[in-house]
Every structure is written in structure tokens, then in C-alpha cells.
Amino acid sequence: MKIVCVGGGPAGLYFSILAKLSREKHDVTVLERNAPGVTYGWGVVFWNDLVDDLYRNDPVSAREIAEAAARWDTQEVYLRGELATRVGGDGFSLGRDRLLDILTRRAGGLGVDIRYQCEVQDLSAYADADLIVACDGVNSGLRLQHAPHFQTQVEEGTNKYIWLGTDKVFDAFTFAFEQPPAGWIWFHAYRFNTETSTCIIECPQATWEALGFGKLGPDETLRRLEDIFKRRLAGHSLFNQLRGLGKAPWLNFKRIRNERWYHDNIALMGDAAHTTHFSIGSGTKLAIQDAIGLARQLREHTDLPTALKAYDEERRQALLAIQLAARSSAEWFENVPSYVNQSALQFAHTLLNRRGSSAWSYLLLLASQQSVLRGVLRGLHSSRRWVRSRQRGSDGARPA
Ligand SMILES: Cc1cc2nc3c(=O)[nH]c(=O)nc-3n(C[C@H](O)[C@H](O)[C@H](O)COP(=O)(O)OP(=O)(O)OC[C@H]3O[C@@H](n4cnc5c(N)ncnc54)[C@H](O)[C@@H]3O)c2cc1C
């Protein structure tokens, strides 16, 4: 089969790997508009469920990803500079550039033809392809060309956000909410290697305008943000220089949905097919799970239309719950000012349970303010992680 993936992000690269692993004879090409190493964003978070999927589907790249990833086991919430809560959590984080580098080398090693600086405007040059995978990201040009078939819906979030890096190493996954006179503004931050953290800064449009971000240049913007968050950044710098793509812009989150994920021999995948708000940190995982889903359907059905239909049904269904959770999370962040007049602990509770909470969750949060119980919970998390890593055959560090 001749397969062309338009877009060399996690979706396109991982699908190309699985297509080659399924059948070496598949002729697989990835077309990427940027040069090698050029990409947006900083580190991304993920959890054990993705690591399990990676090990099940390609242990070679899974091992590299797991070894390269940083781990965090604590979440902290700061309100107006004060610690509101510190609780356990359990996740991984990895630089997007590092992830792409691992997948690129693996795909290349399996014989995938990766062509850089190859921007696809239309598909006429690829008319002989059996399958075209449109994995060209949130602003997918291929999706746009066939929007009536895919029945695309795009909604824009009301908050402004900017995806930055910082040399402040946040060992815990940290939320910090500040209230300068202009209004509420906050960040989501976590380290993804020993030197650098992701720092996504978000605020309502009104705060953004009152702080003058629409008129400030990129460097003045950074200096202003460093000043607003000086308590948590502790003298460290924010970075906005992307790899080969200029300076990070302020954006509004775009929620993408498609009623249909295929048209003729074109399949949508990853952000081209759907987005989930960045506050639940799942877009990369879902892009990879789409790739796994399509590769499996192609193995199970020799007939392409049947495989594409099954892929469409399976993945759209799988996304329903997480899209709902993402919407709740995005709405929580769009209503921050209405939560901040509670006690700091209640505020942190609504934040940490923004995807839905149980009657016990507040009591558990109260109890976990005691460092002894927090230590016990952390020990449990760490043991569970070790057991899972042994089950999948990866080298998990023994829990302390
Ligand atoms: C602020 C922020 C934070 C995030 N944090 C996380 C997180 O913590 N965890 C997580 O799992 N996800 C996170 N995500 C989501 C994640 O980045 C995306 O969901 C993921 O990158 C989707 O992968 P993809 O391959 O579908 O698209 P992309 O990674 O966007 O890749 C698409 C590729 O297609 C290329 N391309 C586009 N058009 C063309 C064309 N015409 N021709 C050729 N190539 C083209 C692009 O250059 C790009 O390389 C975050 C997103 C944002 C905005």
C-alpha cells in the first residue's frame, strides 16, 4: 500500500512507524512543511495509559520515550503568592522536540521516507497514493479543503494563552494565580528536563487588554509577565523563542470537532480531527491513539473503505468522554474570577476537580494537607508506578 502522511507531528510520525511495523512492504512517506528540528511549543505531559499503549505498539520507541521523560509526583496550587495546596499526582513530561526526534529516528530506521520543507497545498501530486493521512495539525489545510464532507465545527475559547518556556525548574506540576490590578492571570508549569519547564500563561481577554499585551512587543511582553509572576519564577526568565518559528504568539484555544473523519481515501488524524483543551494535557496522547487505531483497522480489514469507516466510528466514540472533560476544564479556566472568592483550599479543590468531583474528594484534599498522609499517598503512587513499569517490562526505578 502507498501511504502519504501530510504533517510530521506525533500523529503522522507514529502512524508511519506502525504502518511500517505492520507491513514492511508498505511504501510510507511523511511530508512535513518545516525543516528538521523546527517546531512549536515546549514540554508536554502524559500519563501511564499512554506509556502502556506505546509499549504495546512499539517497545523500541516506547523505551526511548520513557527514558527521556521527566517524572512528577506532586501538584501545587498557589493563589496570590500563597501555597493553597500540595497534593500527589503522577505523570510524565517530555520536550516536544525530543519526542519528535525519537519518533523521526525510529520512522527513518524502519524505512519511512520523511521529506522536509515540503508544504502540501493540494493532493494532485499524490494521486497514486492509496491512503492519505491528513495529520497537518489544528489548522489543517486538507480538512479545510473538504470541510463540508468532514462537517467541521470550530469554536474559539474566550481566554488568551501563550505557550512559553522558563529556566525555573518546577519539580511539581504548578498552577499559580496572580491578581495584578488589571485582573486575574495564571500559569500552568512543569519541568520536562533538568533545566527547563513549560510555562503556559492564560488570562481572560479583559485582563489581556488591560495589561496592554495587544500593543506590547514580544520582549516587553516577557518582561511584564516575569514581573507579574516574580514570586513563583524567583528571578528566572521566561522564553518565547520557538525552534525556527520566531516568537510564540498569544492565541485563543480552538476547539475542533468533525462529524466524519474520512472522505474517499483521506483520513483525518490528531489535531486535524479534534482538539482537547491544553489544560487536560491530552492532545499528543490522542494523536498517538488515533495512529494506533487506524493502524489496527488497516490490519483487520483488507478493504480500505471498511477500515476507514471502522476507524472513524471507533475513534469518534473513544473521544466523547475526554472531549466532555476537556470542555469542563476549559470552562473552569474561563470562569476563574467566579471561583477565587472561596477559601484558598476550596478554590484549589474546584481547580483539581474541574473535570468532575466525588463527595470524598474535598475530605481527601483536606486530609492530604497533613504531610504524613501526603507522604503515604506519594508512596502508594510510586509503588503503583513501579508495578506498572514492571508489568510492561520497562525499567522502573524502585520506589523509595
Ligand atoms: C499550549 C498547549 C499545550 C499543550 N500541552 C500538551 C500536553 O501537555 N500534553 C499533550 O498530550 N498535548 C498537549 N498539547 C496538544 C498537542 O500539542 C497536540 O495535540 C499534538 O501536537 C497533536 O499532534 P498532531 O501530530 O496532530 O499535530 P501537530 O503536532 O501540530 O503536527 C502537525 C504537523 O503538520 C505540519 N503541517 C501543517 N500543515 C502542513 C502542510 N500543508 N504540509 C506539510 N506539513 C504540514 C506542521 O508543521 C506540524 O509539524 C498542547 C497544546 C497546546 C496548544
Side-chain angles (χ1 to χ4, degrees):
M1 186 182 261
K2 189 170 166 59
I3 300 172
V4 173
C5 302
V6 179
L13 290 170
Y14 204 68
F15 178 71
S16 74
I17 291 169
L18 297 187
K20 270 293 189 189
L21 285 173
S22 301
R23 194 172 283 226
E24 211 185 317
K25 281 191 185 149
H26 282 329
D27 171 356
V28 188
T29 306
V30 174
L31 307 171
E32 168 54 48
R33 68 178 168 192
N34 292 326
V38 169
T39 190
Y40 64 88
W42 297 81
V44 292
V45 288
F46 50 97
W47 284 267
N48 267 310
D49 56 345
L50 178 66
V51 181
D52 287 343
D53 279 343
L54 293 170
Y55 269 96
R56 269 193 291 267
N57 285 279
D58 177 29
V60 174
S61 57
R63 199 162 297 119
E64 265 206 78
I65 291 169
E67 281 171 11
R71 292 182 174 187
W72 47 270
D73 63 5
T74 307
Q75 297 183 77
E76 291 177 351
V77 181
Y78 292 85
L79 183 61
R80 300 184 183 96
E82 300 295 322
L83 180 66
T85 192
R86 177 177 292 129
V87 292
D90 191 15
F92 299 82
S93 48
L94 180 61
R96 193 180 140 83
D97 57 339
R98 191 78 198 276
L99 173 67
L100 294 177
D101 175 53
I102 292 170
L103 297 179
T104 301
R105 279 189 287 102
R106 176 68 172 145
L110 290 167
V112 174
D113 178 10
I114 306 177
R115 299 187 201 160
Y116 291 98
Q117 294 173 297
C118 182
E119 177 148 13
V120 177
Q121 309 278 9
D122 72 89
L123 292 171
S124 51
Y126 311 100
D128 61 339
D130 299 294
L131 170 65
I132 305 275
V133 184
C135 37
D136 47 347
V138 60
N139 296 314
S140 168
L142 294 185
R143 182 187 68 220
L144 206 62
Q145 283 171 27
H146 302 281
H149 290 279
F150 298 128
Q151 297 176 52
T152 307
Q153 298 153 39
V154 183
E155 275 175 69
E156 210 160 83
T158 58
N159 282 349
K160 289 280 184 190
Y161 77 87
I162 187 165
W163 193 354
L164 302 174
T166 172
D167 56 2
K168 161 82 182 164
V169 177
F170 288 99
D171 287 323
F173 192 117
T174 305
F175 294 103
F177 293 79
E178 294 288 355
Q179 189 185 21
W184 283 97
I185 183 163
W186 55 91
F187 68 61
H188 321 219
Y190 47 88
R191 77 179 177 93
F192 59 90
N193 59 34
T194 52
E195 292 153 14
T196 329
S197 302
T198 276
C199 186
I200 303 167
I201 296 177
E202 190 183 6
C203 62
Q205 174 84 21
T207 306
W208 186 81
E209 281 169 15
L211 286 168
F213 289 131
K215 299 190 191 104
L216 294 182
D219 294 335
E220 291 168 292
T221 296
L222 284 196
R223 301 295 86 80
R224 185 156 295 185
L225 290 170
E226 284 165 354
D227 186 50
I228 292 170
F229 291 107
K230 56 181 179 283
R231 291 193 273 208
R232 292 269 62 76
L233 289 174
H236 289 270
S237 304
L238 291 168
F239 310 136
N240 61 0
Q241 183 64 50
L242 303 174
R243 280 167 197 79
L245 292 175
K247 308 269 171 138
W250 284 99
L251 295 169
N252 291 66
F253 173 72
K254 272 191 198 164
R255 183 181 293 118
I256 308 286
R257 292 188 56 193
N258 288 278
E259 289 302 315
R260 216 164 170 248
W261 286 23
Y262 70 105
H263 169 57
D264 294 336
N265 66 340
I266 305 173
L268 295 178
M269 185 177 283
D271 275 9
H274 51 77
T275 57
T276 46
H277 193 252
F278 54 81
S279 58
I280 66 161
S282 295
T284 307
K285 171 182 88 170
L286 295 172
I288 287 176
Q289 289 177 338
D290 290 348
I292 294 170
L294 182 57
R296 187 178 54 249
Q297 297 300 350
L298 289 171
R299 281 195 304 272
E300 287 178 7
H301 305 279
T302 44
D303 167 53
L304 183 67
T306 312
L308 292 181
K309 186 164 182 292
Y311 162 70
D312 169 286
E313 283 168 4
E314 181 202 308
R315 291 304 299 154
R316 273 191 305 110
Q317 183 65 29
L319 251 94
L320 292 178
I322 199 156
Q323 279 173 328
L324 263 181
R327 182 176 280 270
S328 304
S329 181
E331 283 171 359
W332 191 93
F333 283 103
E334 288 183 351
N335 289 291
V336 164
S338 66
Y339 294 108
V340 286
N341 293 325
Q342 316 170 66
S343 74
L345 193 59
Q346 281 166 337
F347 170 78
H349 176 255
T350 64
L351 164 63
L352 297 173
N353 293 282
R354 63 195 180 278
R355 296 164 65 171
S357 69
S358 72
W360 288 102
S361 59
Y362 186 60
L363 294 176
L364 191 63
L365 185 67
L366 273 177
S368 67
Q369 301 316 293
Q370 307 297 320
S371 59
V372 174
L373 184 64
R374 211 167 43 239
V376 171
L377 290 172
R378 188 177 296 129
L380 280 175
H381 276 307
S382 155
S383 303
R384 206 169 52 193
R385 188 163 58 197
W386 182 73
V387 169
R388 264 183 107 148
S389 68
R390 301 294 292 189
Q391 282 168 344
R392 65 169 84 100
S394 61
D395 297 331
R398 228 170 231 288

